[in-house]
Structure formats: C-alpha cells, structure tokens
Amino acid sequence: MFLGAKLPPIRWFCLWLGCAVAAAAPAGTADAGEAVALGERVYRESCIDCHGEQGEGSDYYSIPLTGDLPPSQLATYIANTMPEGDAEACEGEDAEAVAQYLYDAFYSPFAQARNRPPRRELSRLTVRQYEQTLADLVASFLWRPEWKDNGGLTARFIRKRNVAGIGKPAKLHLPGIDFRLSELTELDESFRDPEAKTEAQFGNDRVDVHVWVSGVVRAPVTGVYEFFVQTNAGAELTINHQRVIDAGVALANGEEERARVKLLGGRVYELKLSSGRISKDDLTLRLGWRRPGGVDETIPARHLSTGNAPAIAVTEARFPPDDRSVGYVRGASISPEWHEAITNAALETTAELVEQIAELEGDREEPVTRDEARSFCEEFAARAFRRPLTDDERWRFVDRHFQSGDAADETVSPLESSLLSVLKSPRFLYPEIGYAAADAPPLQRAAGRLALALWDSLPDDQLAGAAREGWLGNPGALDQQAERMVNDRRTKAKVNEFFRHWLHLDETAELTRDPEAFPDFGPRVAADMRTSLEMLLDQVVWRGDADLRQLFLSEELFVNARLAKFLDVDAPTDAARPDTFVRAAADTRQRSGVVSHPFMLTSLAYYRDTSPIHRGVFLARHLLGRSLRPPPEAVAPIAPELAPDMTTRERVTLQTSPHQCQACHVLINDLGFTLEQFDAVGRFRSVDVGKPVDTSGGYVATDGSEVRIGDSRELAEYLANSPDVHRSFVTQLFEHLTKQPMLAYGSAVRDELSVDFRQNNFNIRRLIARAAVAAARAN
C-alpha cells in the first residue's frame, strides 16, 4: 500500500518531486474538489508506476491499496514518511490532498465496493454444513430427541444375590457421575453397606450392587471427544447407540478405560453406563471426557440431561479444511480429497440406511418390499433436495434404479444405487444449483436458505410444511419461523461457533506459561478460564436479554473454587467442588465483560509476558473490524532480559517507533496498552518491573473521530457503544450465517439490519433472526 511502501530511489524522487511541485501552489486557495484534484495529480505523476492505475500494485510493490484508515491518519502518515529521506517535502495541505484522493479512490467503503464489487458466489456445502445436513436428513425419518434442562443423569441401583434381585431398586438424579457408593447418603444404608444387612440371611452368597446410568449428553462443539470410565468394577459405556467401552472384567482401583468418539456440536446423544460392586468392595465410579482442545474432567451437569435420543448419523469421513481466507468459512474449493470424502460419507451413510431401513419404516418383522424401498427413496431425495422432485428428477434419482430385474441378481441394490445418486448429486451438495435447476418454488427456496443460515442444515417438518402449504409467504411468516428456529440447539451451536471465531478462540492453542513465573498456572486453570468465558457468553446471549453491550459491560465472572483462588476473587460457598461454577461479582474497576476476561487476556499474551500488540490486533481486527495487513516481515519482540529496566509498554513503544511501523501500530498499540493492567495469565496488576502500569491509550475511528481511553473499564465502555463495533458485529455475524459477503446483498440490507439492531437495544438473538430472513428473501 502507499503507506510504508519501500520504493526504489528513483520513485522516491518522483514522489518527492510531485509533492514539491504541489507545495508550490498557493496555500488555502483550493476548495475540497480542487484538493482532491491536486492529490490525484500528485498520485498520477509520482505514484502510479508503483501502485498501478487502480491501486492494484506492480512489480515494485505488489500489495493493493486497500484498508480503512480515515483521511486524517493517511495524511499524518504521508507527512511523516513520504518521501523516504526527505519527509518534510510533502506535508500540510499537500499531504492532506494526497490522503483525501487515496481515501476517495481506494480506501473508503464506497471506493472498495466500486473497485472490487462483491458478489454472491456459488458454493458447495461447507464441511460443517455437510455433516449437519447429513445428520438431519437421516434423523428426519426418526423420532425427535428429548432434552430436559435438569442438568444430570438418572442412576438406578439394585442389590443382587448372585443374579437375582433383592429388595426394592433405588433411583437417583445425579448431576455428574463421580461417586463412591458408601458416600451416596441419598441411598438406603442397605445399598451403601449391603453386607451388614444380608450376611446373616444369605451366608456366604455374593451380594452385589449394580448401577445403570442413562440419559443424554450434549456436545458443545464438533470434534473428537475422549470419554473415560474410572471404576473398581466392570463397566460398559454406550454413546450414540454404539458400545464404545466394554470392560466386563473388574478394573483395578483407579484404573480407567478410554474411547474416542466423534460428535457434532449442538446435538444430544444417548448415553448409557452400567457398572457393579463386586462383593465387599466399595464401588467407585467416574464418567468423564476430554473435549476437543480440553482436559480430562467429569462431564459437567450442564451438558447432561435425563432425556433420550435416537442414533445420530455422524460420518467418519475425513474432509479437507474449508477456506477461511475471507474471514468466514466458505465452500469454495473443489479438490480430489473433497470428492473422496463425500464419496466415503455417501457410502457410509447408505450402508447404515440399508441396514436400518426396516427401523426407518417402522418396527415390523417382514422385509421391506421393492415398492416400499422405492417410496422411501423418493421421499429421501425430496428431503435432500429441500423441495418436491420434478418428473425428470423422480426418474433420474429414483425410478430408473428400480427398473432392473430381480434384486437378488444385482451387485448394488436399487435402494443403495438411488441413495448414492442423491447424496452425490450437485442438487444436494450445492443448494443454489438445486433451486435453479428445477425452477424451485420461491417459498421452498426461502425455507431452504433460512434453514441453511440458522442451522447449516435442512428445513424441519414445520418449516417445510409452511413452504409447501403456502402460508410461509404470508406477511411476517418468515420472521415467525426464524424466531422459532433461533431457539433451536442447532442455531445455538452455530452462533457459539461464531463467537469462537469473533473472540479468536479457534486460533488459541493450548495455553502454557513459564512455570517459574507462574507456578500455580496449568492446563486445568486454563480449562477453567475457558469454561468461565463460555458460561458468560451463554448467560448474556441465551439466558439474558442478548444485549451486545453486556458482552463488554457485564459485571459477572463465573468461577469454580480453583479459578476463584487463582484470580483471588471471592466466590460463593457453593463453588466448593472443583467442577461447580457459580457467579461471582467482578470488580468493575479491574475487569468487565469479555475483553478483560482472564481467558482472553491469557490467550493474547506471551509465555512469560503480556503482549499489547496481540491484544491490540485482536481489538482492532476482530471487534472493531479494522483492516490490518500482516507485517512485511516477522520481527521478534525485544526480550525482557535484554531490557530488564523497561516495562512492556516501553519496549513495545521503542520497537514500533519507526514511522513505517506507525501506520498500523499507532492503532494497535494505543488499544493494546489499555489492557496492560493484566499480566500474562489475566490477573490484575498495578506495577510492571517496579514501575506503575500505564494503561492510557486511545482510538481513531473510521469516521476520523478520536477518543482517549484510560484503562480497561473505559475501553469496555467505548467498545459497547462504538459504531465501528456495531457495524463490524453485524457484518461478521451475517457473513458467518450466510457464507457470503454482506455487501453482495446490497448496502440497503446492511443499513436496515444495522438500524434494526440499534433500535432494538442491540439484541443479538433478534439480529440472528433478521439476518437469516434477509438472506432467505434475497433474489
């Protein structure tokens, strides 16, 4: 870009000459139009060889002229740095004229839309969309899962003499499975100490206590979960109707069995666990997991329920990663690896459907007839294509597969052949092709887009029925459906995924710190911090009034006993158990909301020290939506031991002081410094290397307005009310839902959503629904 460009000497001379000529013009005689004309003349005379006719760059400088710096900052940078070696040659009105021209021609939102018009691209299903759609397609033929917000599982206990039951069984609701039988005071003493009650009656006969645990488990994110069972008895664990642990022989005390299971986020899975106490041993039983990127823990009650669920189709096919280069995930690339993955997934799903077809058609003993199989395939294709089949499609994907002779003579059955053709069809893999190819009715198209935006999946029966019967076209009907669908667990999973991206969590590796500097920090504290942040997001977005501003201003901090001790905060007494999180009041003079949350602060720090640059880049790029390019070359920070008497702020200021760094770092540093009162593990501090911490900073908005920020609380208050934050949030959320650039839908859509968002107290749930409806209505 023009800022910070290292041009060949001859071109620096040309730029200097152009500015010098411009400087000869009488000051103060040009109006705004003349100033822009002056800036354009200087650009064309002195800069075009390097930066191109349309700012596209050249062999000398390949980076295009794009960004979002306001004219005031552009002018300051030009005046300070251009030309190299003679910065005073272009300043004042001349630098302002060049800056205004650059802004109008390349930097303003209007200029960027004009120079590079955004458009909606034909995209395949992303990996997440494919997996979610496949799971819902199969599930649409089954019964619906049941989730109860009661936080725990049902445990049934029975005493057995040899193999016969003794006495009345007992049933308990347990928030988690981590107990010693003798300590379950809710049970009758005969369960906790059966030998004392039965020895006289039964002599030397064995008397055991067996336990059956049942319910469902909810996966918060998509990925591979490692379940483990610790017991001193035998144990069997079933997840998603699949036995994953079969340890019928008693394990040694404290020994464990493990199993890795892939789960889709936002869905509930059947969970069954059985174990038993052998003779006089005191039964111990613990059921835990390691979430993707997490640590071993007893499964928390908030992820458990006493409901039930059918089997969820979770493909084991390995997909190549989707493209994330534009700031959101999109299905843009087609590769042999992707084709292989969808083929493997189609084969896997077809095999399971053929095996379970009798169950899908209902419980019965006689085999499925050819006509019934054909009828099933027709319904399967219609649901997969998200609309009724045309006559041509009915023949191509169903009827022709059933035209051959005796099924016993066929290598691939008509059922398998039909299902495979549907799952490999572009009509399934590219929803927009499916709509256009068959001239799909507009209401079916709207229903499909709405489900894809909110669920990454297919319309359910209610939405599909509304489209089929025509009342989805009534005024307000799409909005009503969207409001209903927002509260579905699939929307919650998708939106939670957005927050992981928005808050930089997906890019956060395992948090480690120097054990000498932070001896009490470790993986469990890091996991507690992450859980605390997830609970804050859940509280504000899904249990509170969903006000975006509260994500910055919330005075609540969720802690367990371990995290409360680490952060030195007072926690209610019911946080005594390590896995029990409760609300604690945060000292708002020190921290509030997500920006100063300990997990965020820790993830944006170095191994031994803070990183104002990392924190500033996060604030500028993810929250304020500012355009920042990577540095031209990687530069290691000045190590603390090389400047032991300098604070982190002083070292960063020194290292980024050259003018060519300031175009970005004047923005980055002033934001990052406001969080310097928190150390590398997110704890409050008032001194750094014996000096008082300086948290003063500021921000220049995209409209050129300036604000001074004194500390993290003032930062939170500014972010909560910043138009840059609001505009960026609306844009990023819309693009996450649709997988398309927002401006491709027209600036009117962006403006309408922004106005509605502001007028409705920045309600995130309403914005989700309104954004999905806007995408569904698009031509």
Side-chain angles (χ1 to χ4, degrees):
M1 59 192 276
F2 185 81
L3 305 182
K6 293 187 176 181
L7 303 179
I10 184 63
R11 282 167 173 75
W12 280 119
F13 174 76
C14 291
L15 176 61
W16 171 84
L17 178 62
C19 288
V21 170
T29 61
D31 59 16
E34 292 173 341
V36 172
L38 171 62
E40 181 178 8
R41 186 168 70 251
V42 172
Y43 179 82
R44 294 192 174 280
E45 291 175 352
S46 308
C47 313
I48 199 170
D49 286 348
C50 288
H51 295 293
E53 180 76 24
Q54 300 298 325
E56 71 276 11
S58 68
D59 292 340
Y60 291 103
Y61 190 75
S62 61
I63 300 176
L65 288 173
T66 60
D68 53 18
L69 289 177
S72 60
Q73 284 190 299
L74 282 169
T76 299
Y77 188 77
I78 292 169
N80 288 336
T81 62
M82 302 295 172
E84 189 177 54
D86 191 8
E88 296 180 356
C90 185
E91 54 187 14
E93 290 184 2
D94 308 311
E96 292 173 4
V98 176
Q100 190 62 55
Y101 169 72
L102 289 173
Y103 182 80
D104 291 347
F106 307 117
Y107 281 75
S108 72
F110 176 80
Q112 294 187 46
R114 178 194 62 222
N115 297 339
R116 299 170 182 82
R119 62 187 180 90
R120 283 154 56 192
E121 299 178 349
L122 177 64
S123 300
R124 59 167 172 78
L125 295 174
T126 65
V127 174
R128 174 185 167 82
Q129 288 173 335
Y130 182 87
E131 292 178 335
Q132 297 285 343
T133 300
L134 197 64
D136 278 339
L137 179 57
V138 175
S140 67
F141 293 91
L142 300 171
W143 46 279
R144 291 180 59 83
E146 180 185 17
W147 174 270
K148 302 176 182 178
D149 285 325
N150 53 12
L153 300 170
T154 298
R156 294 176 173 84
F157 298 82
I158 187 171
R159 291 175 293 158
K160 284 189 175 183
R161 174 194 177 196
N162 296 327
V163 295
I166 304 172
K168 184 179 179 180
K171 183 171 72 173
L172 295 180
H173 176 85
L174 299 178
I177 306 304
D178 186 6
F179 64 81
R180 181 179 295 274
L181 186 64
S182 62
E183 297 174 357
L184 286 176
T185 56
E186 301 92 333
L187 287 175
D188 185 88
E189 185 180 355
S190 60
F191 284 95
R192 292 182 284 117
D193 188 14
E195 294 300 319
K197 297 293 184 181
T198 59
E199 185 174 0
Q201 182 178 357
F202 301 118
N204 293 325
D205 286 348
R206 290 177 51 144
V207 178
D208 306 326
V209 174
H210 291 258
V211 56
W212 288 268
V213 177
S214 62
V216 291
V217 57
R218 178 173 57 192
V221 298
T222 296
V224 176
Y225 291 70
E226 189 170 14
F227 290 87
F228 62 88
V229 176
Q230 293 176 334
T231 183
N232 58 356
E236 292 183 358
L237 175 65
T238 297
I239 302 291
N240 195 25
H241 294 259
Q242 297 290 325
R243 183 178 298 174
V244 297
I245 291 178
D246 186 358
V249 178
L251 302 174
N253 192 30
E255 192 174 340
E256 65 182 25
E257 288 285 332
R258 289 180 172 262
R260 293 166 60 84
V261 183
K262 180 181 177 181
L263 302 178
L264 301 181
R267 296 178 182 270
V268 298
Y269 302 84
E270 178 197 67
L271 183 154
K272 291 183 177 181
L273 172 66
S274 63
S275 186
R277 180 173 71 175
I278 307 301
S279 191
K280 296 183 179 181
D281 292 336
D282 188 4
L283 174 66
T284 61
L285 185 62
R286 183 189 182 201
L287 172 63
W289 68 5
R290 174 175 291 205
R291 297 193 292 165
V295 298
D296 285 359
E297 61 179 341
T298 302
I299 302 178
R302 64 183 180 280
H303 297 303
L304 300 171
S305 167
T306 57
N308 50 67
I312 302 296
V314 182
T315 177
E316 296 293 333
R318 294 179 177 271
F319 286 84
D322 288 319
D323 176 37
R324 294 173 177 262
S325 62
V326 293
Y328 53 88
V329 178
R330 59 178 180 170
S333 60
I334 304 298
S335 65
E337 293 78 15
W338 182 78
H339 276 291
E340 181 180 3
I342 63 169
T343 299
N344 291 337
L347 290 168
E348 177 188 350
T349 304
T350 298
E352 293 179 1
L353 285 171
V354 170
E355 183 178 342
Q356 300 174 7
I357 187 67
E359 178 185 349
L360 297 177
E361 290 290 338
D363 294 332
R364 63 186 200 178
E365 296 181 358
E366 64 273 16
V368 174
T369 67
R370 196 178 187 87
D371 286 343
E372 289 172 331
R374 183 206 162 281
S375 177
F376 172 77
C377 288
E378 182 175 347
E379 180 63 23
F380 184 86
R383 297 186 189 188
F385 296 166
R386 308 158 184 89
R387 52 170 176 72
L389 302 181
T390 64
D391 291 340
D392 177 69
E393 289 170 339
R394 188 175 294 104
W395 163 255
R396 181 182 304 181
F397 294 101
V398 183
D399 291 345
R400 74 181 182 90
H401 299 278
F402 287 85
Q403 293 298 306
S404 56
D406 185 0
D409 297 330
E410 297 162 349
T411 304
V412 178
S413 72
L415 177 63
E416 292 175 286
S417 179
S418 175
L419 295 177
L420 282 172
S421 70
V422 169
L423 293 176
K424 290 280 288 182
S425 169
R427 290 165 173 79
F428 173 64
L429 299 171
Y430 295 79
E432 290 297 328
I433 285 183
Y435 300 141
D439 191 21
L443 293 184
Q444 267 85 7
R445 182 168 61 246
R449 287 175 174 170
L450 188 66
L452 200 61
L454 291 176
W455 293 345
D456 278 339
S457 188
L458 307 161
D460 63 359
D461 290 342
Q462 186 172 338
L463 178 59
R468 184 174 57 251
E469 296 166 10
W471 71 265
L472 190 63
N474 295 339
L478 261 177
D479 296 279
Q480 292 174 11
Q481 285 293 313
E483 290 168 5
R484 171 185 70 86
M485 295 166 67
V486 162
N487 293 316
D488 188 278
R489 62 184 178 277
R490 288 168 289 185
T491 302
K492 294 180 179 180
K494 183 170 183 176
V495 173
N496 288 343
E497 182 186 63
F498 163 74
F499 280 112
R500 289 195 296 276
H501 166 73
W502 188 61
L503 294 177
H504 198 66
L505 305 184
D506 283 341
E507 302 172 33
T508 302
E510 181 179 350
L511 297 181
T512 58
R513 289 295 178 268
D514 185 347
E516 293 185 5
F518 307 104
D520 49 351
F521 183 86
R524 292 199 174 278
V525 171
D528 291 342
M529 288 181 175
R530 187 172 194 129
T531 298
S532 172
L533 179 58
E534 291 171 348
M535 295 183 72
L536 175 60
L537 291 169
D538 183 71
Q539 175 63 30
V540 173
V541 179
W542 301 111
R543 301 179 187 274
D545 57 11
D547 187 338
L548 173 68
R549 295 168 297 185
Q550 285 304 305
L551 286 179
F552 302 105
L553 301 176
S554 174
E555 299 180 1
E556 294 179 332
L557 179 67
F558 289 86
V559 296
N560 59 4
R562 180 170 47 234
L563 186 58
K565 180 180 179 181
F566 180 81
L567 297 175
D568 192 24
V569 300
D570 295 330
T573 56
D574 50 352
R577 288 174 54 89
D579 56 350
T580 301
F581 282 78
V582 296
R583 298 182 192 180
D587 186 344
T588 55
R589 294 170 301 174
Q590 297 182 4
R591 72 175 81 240
S592 64
V594 296
V595 173
S596 54
H597 190 279
F599 184 83
M600 295 300 307
L601 296 163
T602 305
S603 67
L604 297 168
Y606 286 125
Y607 185 62
R608 289 180 296 171
D609 205 356
T610 63
S611 176
I613 294 177
H614 280 80
R615 292 171 177 177
V617 167
F618 162 73
L619 293 168
R621 179 176 290 156
H622 286 254
L623 301 190
L624 289 156
R626 300 300 296 270
S627 176
L628 296 176
R629 288 198 179 93
E633 58 185 30
V635 178
I638 299 175
E641 56 266 24
L642 297 180
D645 296 329
M646 297 180 70
T647 66
T648 302
R649 179 178 182 130
E650 290 169 341
R651 295 196 309 274
V652 169
T653 300
L654 175 64
Q655 189 162 25
T656 60
S657 59
H659 287 303
Q660 59 267 30
C661 302
Q662 285 298 296
C664 290
H665 279 279
V666 69
L667 170 66
I668 294 170
N669 294 0
D670 262 9
L671 288 169
F673 288 151
T674 63
L675 295 172
E676 269 298 275
Q677 65 202 102
F678 301 100
D679 65 12
V681 292
R683 291 188 291 205
F684 184 82
R685 65 177 183 177
S686 57
V687 296
D688 183 14
V689 294
K691 301 178 183 179
V693 171
D694 181 1
T695 60
S696 61
Y699 177 65
V700 179
T702 53
D703 62 4
S705 61
E706 299 184 31
V707 61
R708 301 311 301 167
I709 301 173
D711 56 21
S712 63
R713 180 62 186 183
E714 291 184 13
L715 172 67
E717 291 170 350
Y718 177 77
L719 294 174
N721 297 287
S722 166
D724 283 354
V725 170
H726 302 159
R727 180 174 53 253
S728 172
F729 186 84
V730 170
T731 300
Q732 291 186 65
L733 180 58
F734 184 92
E735 293 179 343
H736 174 78
L737 295 176
T738 64
K739 315 302 182 191
Q740 296 285 352
M742 186 173 191
L743 287 179
Y745 292 79
S747 58
V749 171
R750 178 197 60 191
D751 295 342
E752 290 170 6
L753 288 176
S754 298
V755 170
D756 186 85
F757 190 43
R758 182 172 62 253
Q759 291 178 345
N760 288 277
N761 297 317
F762 303 97
N763 188 291
I764 298 171
R765 293 198 298 270
R766 177 180 171 86
L767 174 62
I768 296 166
R770 297 287 296 170
V773 168
R777 287 177 174 156
N779 294 325

